[in-house]
Amino acid sequence: MKALLLVSELEDYTISFANGVAQHLDVVLAVPHRRYAHLASSFDPAVDLHLLDWPRHRSLSNPWFLYQLTRLIRREQPNLIHLLSNSTLWLNLAVPFWRPTPLVTTIHDVEIHPGDLETRTLPGWAPELMVRQSGHLVVHGEGLKQLVLDRYAKSADHVHVLSHPSILRYAELARRQKMTPREADGTIRVLLFGRIFAYKGLEHLVRAEAMLKDVLPNLRITVAGRGDDPRIFQALMGDAGRYDIFNRFIEDTEVAQLFLDTDIVVLPYTEASQSGVLNLAAAFGKPVIVTDVGELGGTVRQNGLGLVVPPGDAKELAAAIQTLAGNGELRNQFGTNALQWAKGPNSPEQVGGQAAAVYREVVGTC
């Protein structure tokens, strides 16, 4: 059986997912050259990688690209096409030319996150149309499945749940380069990582830090990622001097070092579906503090990955940070659980096997 995977972004997710599926069946992956060329070595040799001249949304070369892409699909003759994100525009026009090959589309977020200006650049009808053109959908949790069923006219047996696989490549990079954590000096390091938009809850982390100013003088907060400038909350900080702020794109080796150095990873999101950061933290065996939004709370509780607090509650967030900061044994237990989860039931190979089963089910019903 052969599956052809298509995606224009989501590099970390795509690497984990494609590598996992390739352990179970033939995988052809078509992605933009500009985003994936430097990551080619991260793919398993079993993945048949095609780096395409994939235009941006506003490019006039999109019709020619769709023609070339359709030729590739017809040449490869896959049993199934899986679009790894519905955040597309022009691909909607090509779908009718791919029939009767079954089309599966993954919906990472049923609703656009508050403050996510990057995703809002796409016309709202485009991802909606792709969902409606797809015979089967994939989401990352049972709660998200229910949201999709409520919103779209799909039968329950055409919406499948596959978890976001662990993101292992940064931990593997750290091992290859023999990177080591910062030497312990009594400091408790807390990391907020990723695109810093309104829904990430930075303000609540800042307020929590202020509450801990005198309780945890050895606390240090790192905020790393592009997006909103964390300094807009400087007036709320208990001690601005104990923040390390990297408001930019973070290179791979920097990502690995940040996760090696941290003691606790926080995801104080006010809204979310799931999170790649959680799957990255688990690969480093790091305990997390998450808010009970989307699939985060359930995933963390079920697998013993850390503590769960209500969204928007800085006081509870501060209490959770204080709890983990003062209990190294608990941090270690959560971290051990996280690593076992990342390398076991949530590993790319395990999730890939589940995806292969979904593919066989889809092809069998067409």
Side-chain angles (χ1 to χ4, degrees), residues 4 20 31 52 70 75 79 85 110 143 147 163 188 191 213 215 223 254 267 284 292 303 308 321 345 351 353 355:
L4 190 144
V31 291
L52 308 181
T70 300
R75 184 167 65 247
N79 301 95
S85 171
V110 181
L147 289 176
S163 66
I188 295 295
L191 173 66
K213 179 180 179 181
V215 181
V223 181
E254 292 180 282
L267 294 81
F284 281 89
D292 200 1
N303 298 286
V308 181
I321 293 173
V351 176

Side-chain angles (χ1 to χ4, degrees), residues 270-336:
T270 58
E271 189 275 343
S273 300
Q274 38 65 46
S275 173
V277 176
L278 174 62
N279 294 283
L280 201 169
F284 281 89
K286 298 297 179 178
V288 297
I289 300 172
V290 306
T291 46
D292 200 1
V293 294
E295 302 297 328
L296 294 183
T299 300
V300 168
R301 289 193 192 97
Q302 180 179 346
N303 298 286
L305 310 179
L307 300 178
V308 181
V309 300
D313 194 328
K315 185 176 180 180
E316 287 294 324
L317 178 58
I321 293 173
Q322 185 176 357
T323 296
L324 285 188
N327 193 332
E329 183 177 342
L330 184 58
R331 293 200 307 272
N332 290 337
Q333 183 58 61
F334 285 146
T336 298

Side-chain angles (χ1 to χ4, degrees), residues 82-86 105-111 127 131 137-140 144 148 152 273-274:
H82 187 175
L83 187 60
L84 298 187
S85 171
N86 66 318
T105 295
T106 293
I107 304 176
H108 294 273
D109 300 305
V110 181
E111 300 287 350
V131 168
L137 304 174
V138 168
V139 294
H140 295 311
L144 297 175
V148 167
Y152 300 104
S273 300
Q274 38 65 46

Side-chain angles (χ1 to χ4, degrees), residues 33-299:
H33 184 281
R34 69 177 186 277
R35 298 190 71 127
Y36 280 86
H38 71 290
L39 296 169
S41 62
S42 298
F43 287 99
D44 189 288
V47 176
D48 183 7
L49 179 64
H50 291 253
L51 298 172
L52 308 181
D53 291 327
W54 193 312
R56 301 180 189 277
H57 291 315
R58 296 183 179 182
S59 173
L60 296 177
S61 62
N62 271 289
W64 174 248
F65 164 70
L66 295 182
Y67 171 73
Q68 294 288 91
L69 177 60
T70 300
R71 286 189 61 188
L72 171 65
I73 291 172
R74 289 176 176 172
R75 184 167 65 247
E76 292 291 341
Q77 296 185 325
N79 301 95
L80 172 145
I81 299 169
H82 187 175
L83 187 60
L84 298 187
S85 171
N86 66 318
S87 297
T88 59
L89 177 60
W90 287 91
L91 291 188
N92 281 290
L93 301 181
V95 170
F97 298 97
W98 302 344
R99 296 171 183 148
T101 305
L103 177 64
V104 178
T105 295
T106 293
I107 304 176
H108 294 273
D109 300 305
V110 181
E111 300 287 350
I112 297 177
H113 300 307
D116 186 352
L117 300 179
E118 294 179 354
T119 304
R120 288 187 184 278
T121 60
L122 190 69
W125 57 264
E128 296 272 336
L129 179 57
M130 184 57 71
V131 168
R132 298 187 188 282
Q133 290 196 92
S134 303
H136 290 255
L137 304 174
V138 168
V139 294
H140 295 311
E142 292 295 338
L144 297 175
K145 177 176 180 176
Q146 190 56 54
L147 289 176
V148 167
L149 292 176
D150 292 342
R151 181 164 179 170
Y152 300 104
K154 301 287 184 182
S155 61
D157 60 347
H158 282 214
V159 182
H160 311 272
V161 175
L162 293 174
S163 66
H164 188 309
S166 300
I167 297 173
L168 304 178
R169 74 181 188 91
Y170 298 99
E172 292 168 351
L173 172 65
R175 283 192 291 274
R176 286 197 309 271
Q177 297 193 4
K178 299 181 179 179
M179 300 170 66
T180 57
R182 183 193 300 262
E183 186 175 346
D185 58 2
T187 301
I188 295 295
R189 301 181 184 278
V190 171
L191 173 66
L192 174 63
F193 177 81
R195 298 186 306 163
I196 311 302
F197 293 134
Y199 73 97
K200 290 297 183 75
L202 173 60
E203 177 181 351
H204 305 297
L205 175 60
V206 170
R207 291 184 183 277
E209 177 274 325
M211 295 177 188
L212 297 169
K213 179 180 179 181
D214 299 320
V215 181
L216 284 178
N218 60 334
L219 180 66
R220 191 155 196 88
I221 306 287
T222 299
V223 181
R226 57 192 175 84
D228 299 337
D229 188 346
R231 296 175 185 85
I232 63 176
F233 296 118
Q234 186 165 341
L236 302 177
M237 296 176 181
D239 180 358
R242 60 178 181 174
Y243 283 79
D244 296 310
I245 296 174
F246 306 96
N247 187 214
R248 55 176 172 77
F249 174 79
I250 311 298
E251 298 290 346
D252 289 358
T253 53
E254 292 180 282
V255 174
Q257 194 65 58
L258 285 171
F259 279 85
L260 282 173
D261 289 346
T262 199
D263 298 292
I264 305 166
V265 178
V266 292
L267 294 81
Y269 302 169
T270 58
E271 189 275 343
S273 300
Q274 38 65 46
S275 173
V277 176
L278 174 62
N279 294 283
L280 201 169
F284 281 89
K286 298 297 179 178
V288 297
I289 300 172
V290 306
T291 46
D292 200 1
V293 294
E295 302 297 328
L296 294 183
T299 300

